[in-house]
Amino acid sequence: MNENRSRFTVIPGRRRVSLGAETFQPIEQGTQAVLFPDTRPGVVVFVCFPDVEEREFVDLLESARPGFVIDLRIVPRFDVGRLNRDRAFDLFETLGSRYVDLTGMFLSGASKEDVMKSFSELLSSNSFNLFRPVIFLLSRPETSVATDAEVLNALEASGKRAQEVSQVPTFA
């Protein structure tokens, strides 16, 4: 063995792991699942901007086909990769996802408490459900209205408990 050769340890980097379409498919699929695809109820996904990549976000939307996309970022931007606000809204419309920007209230002078009250009212309303996956858009703690733990607590307080929780991006 060559004594002059430097010795080093290779430390593997973290790699991204994507949520596959199977994450959102019902556990028990009927015989006509190919013709009439359904999604798994009770799935909640937290997406962290700007850490998410364009392809991850688009794949997530297309796989999950969320009933709701709820934005809790103080600055709701979609500019990752070639994605922009128009393209994101086109995806929401195509997939039948209802986009809710609660932080728009800040423009009229609302406080964080006002936004969280509106958020709780939305979760408690009959129009909100977990029949299809729900995606929550968050950013860093200092630029989001709520954390993932606060969102899960608010869901539970409304009587609508998440059955499965995922995060994007996910690293292994």
Side-chain angles (χ1 to χ4, degrees), residues 81-115:
R82 293 172 301 150
L83 188 66
N84 59 34
R85 193 167 187 80
D86 289 338
R87 187 161 170 241
F89 278 84
D90 287 345
L91 279 166
F92 300 151
E93 185 177 339
T94 300
L95 298 169
S97 302
R98 182 174 165 199
Y99 175 78
V100 179
D101 176 11
L102 291 168
T103 59
M105 297 173 57
F106 286 131
L107 296 174
S108 59
S111 67
K112 179 181 175 181
E113 290 75 26
D114 295 331
V115 173

Side-chain angles (χ1 to χ4, degrees), residues 51-106:
D51 297 339
V52 69
E53 294 177 348
E54 172 191 10
R55 187 78 252 153
E56 283 175 310
F57 186 63
V58 172
D59 287 349
L60 170 66
L61 289 173
E62 290 173 345
S63 297
R65 305 185 68 78
F68 289 86
V69 177
I70 300 176
D71 207 333
L72 294 168
R73 300 172 296 160
I74 293 173
V75 180
R77 299 175 55 159
F78 291 96
D79 53 347
V80 292
R82 293 172 301 150
L83 188 66
N84 59 34
R85 193 167 187 80
D86 289 338
R87 187 161 170 241
F89 278 84
D90 287 345
L91 279 166
F92 300 151
E93 185 177 339
T94 300
L95 298 169
S97 302
R98 182 174 165 199
Y99 175 78
V100 179
D101 176 11
L102 291 168
T103 59
M105 297 173 57
F106 286 131

Side-chain angles (χ1 to χ4, degrees), residues 92-140:
F92 300 151
E93 185 177 339
T94 300
L95 298 169
S97 302
R98 182 174 165 199
Y99 175 78
V100 179
D101 176 11
L102 291 168
T103 59
M105 297 173 57
F106 286 131
L107 296 174
S108 59
S111 67
K112 179 181 175 181
E113 290 75 26
D114 295 331
V115 173
M116 290 306 290
K117 182 178 180 207
S118 289
F119 179 55
S120 294
E121 290 170 359
L122 169 68
L123 297 181
S124 298
S125 72
N126 290 333
S127 66
F128 178 83
N129 60 60
L130 293 170
F131 297 144
R132 290 171 50 193
V134 175
I135 294 176
F136 292 95
L137 304 180
L138 303 175
S139 189
R140 308 253 187 312

Side-chain angles (χ1 to χ4, degrees), residues 139-153:
S139 189
R140 308 253 187 312
E142 61 275 6
T143 56
S144 292
V145 176
T147 65
D148 51 358
E150 290 171 321
V151 169
L152 292 173
N153 288 339

Side-chain angles (χ1 to χ4, degrees), residues 27-43:
I27 295 169
E28 294 182 21
Q29 294 192 34
T31 55
Q32 295 192 358
V34 174
L35 297 173
F36 306 103
D38 202 3
T39 55
R40 189 179 306 178
V43 176

